[in-house]
Amino acid sequence: MAREIDGAVAVITMHRPHNLLDPALTQALLDALAWVPTTGSHAVILRSGLRHFSAAVIGRPGADIPVDEAEGHIAGYTILCDWSARDLQEEEMAQGLGPAKGKDSATTLGPWLVTPDELADRRTGKGFDLTATTSVNGELYSSGNWSTIYWSFAQAISYASRGTRLRTGDVIGSGTIGTGCILELSRVHDAAKYPWLKAGDQVRISVDGLGAIESTIQPPVPVLPL
């Protein structure tokens, strides 16, 4: 099934998992995800980075969901990239705020929505035994494994639903998969080896079983004065 999004075609493959998806819910998911860019170009600020996540898309809505029931609310999994303006983030968070505009640049999801039954045989620990990698201009930046996440998606969904209602199409990020953050790589290892993203950089993020997303970093538009 394909949907055109801002000039790009987002292909979402929906496999029917254990009585979770029916035709009405499938259409609701597609409608909820209609705004999501799966590939494309992203503007770069002075210090632009990324964080590599896996993500769960909510299929069945609910509130105050117990941990042992939370996985039954997941329609499928996909890749999530959180594009971060670290210079703005540091300015905002120095005041005890934020990140606000530091996280208001872009989020990339895709390219597939993979239902839980497709990954069942790879379950390990609190996640799945699936390798996640990020490369910039063909150079490997990070390589981690989904199984090493600290909080499971069941725990994250239970927490996110406390006192509120999760709706079909809501996206829950896993948190950064190990070594999948340029900020941490540059500070812990070597800023020269892991520089901030700049215009023209080609970024590729992949997770075994979920596919890969590719983006090109573009120059920023002028900032309007306040």
Side-chain angles (χ1 to χ4, degrees):
M1 191 174 296
R3 179 179 291 277
E4 185 173 351
I5 301 173
D6 294 332
V9 175
V11 180
I12 303 175
T13 298
M14 306 292 288
H15 299 288
R16 185 179 182 87
H18 307 309
N19 300 319
L20 176 61
L21 296 182
D22 58 31
L25 179 54
T26 298
Q27 188 58 53
L29 278 168
L30 290 173
D31 291 341
L33 291 171
W35 59 271
V36 175
T38 57
T39 60
S41 302
H42 302 286
V44 59
I45 315 297
L46 293 178
R47 283 179 289 168
S48 180
L50 58 82
R51 295 196 301 157
H52 182 179
F53 292 49
S54 56
V57 179
I58 298 299
R60 183 156 56 91
D64 296 309
I65 302 168
V67 171
D68 59 359
E69 298 177 10
E71 289 194 356
H73 291 259
I74 298 174
Y77 298 101
T78 191
I79 300 172
L80 184 154
C81 180
D82 165 26
W83 303 90
S84 304
R86 296 300 189 182
D87 50 339
L88 297 180
Q89 180 181 342
E90 289 187 358
E91 290 180 7
E92 293 165 342
M93 297 189 72
Q95 308 300 320
L97 304 172
K101 285 295 180 181
K103 296 291 185 179
D104 196 25
S105 52
T107 297
T108 303
L109 297 171
W112 307 104
L113 185 65
V114 179
T115 52
D117 58 307
E118 297 284 332
L119 304 179
D121 62 343
R122 304 298 294 274
R123 179 175 289 282
T124 303
K126 293 187 176 182
F128 299 92
D129 182 20
L130 299 172
T131 299
T133 63
T134 299
S135 63
V136 179
N137 300 324
E139 180 179 349
L140 183 67
Y141 263 44
S142 70
S143 179
N145 193 288
W146 186 349
S147 65
T148 63
I149 59 175
Y150 192 80
W151 298 103
S152 69
F153 271 114
Q155 291 172 307
I157 289 169
S158 180
Y159 184 79
S161 70
R162 286 182 181 177
T164 191
R165 185 171 181 80
L166 297 182
R167 299 178 299 174
T168 298
D170 282 349
V171 178
I172 308 296
S174 63
T176 309
I177 294 176
T179 75
C181 173
I182 292 179
L183 174 64
E184 295 172 5
L185 289 170
S186 64
R187 290 184 175 178
V188 175
H189 299 286
D190 186 350
K193 183 176 181 180
Y194 300 104
W196 300 110
L197 298 174
K198 62 184 184 301
D201 282 346
Q202 304 285 326
V203 179
R204 187 178 194 274
I205 296 173
S206 67
V207 178
D208 290 348
L210 301 186
I213 53 178
E214 298 181 353
S215 297
T216 301
I217 306 301
Q218 298 294 324
V221 297
V223 177
L224 298 177
L226 299 178

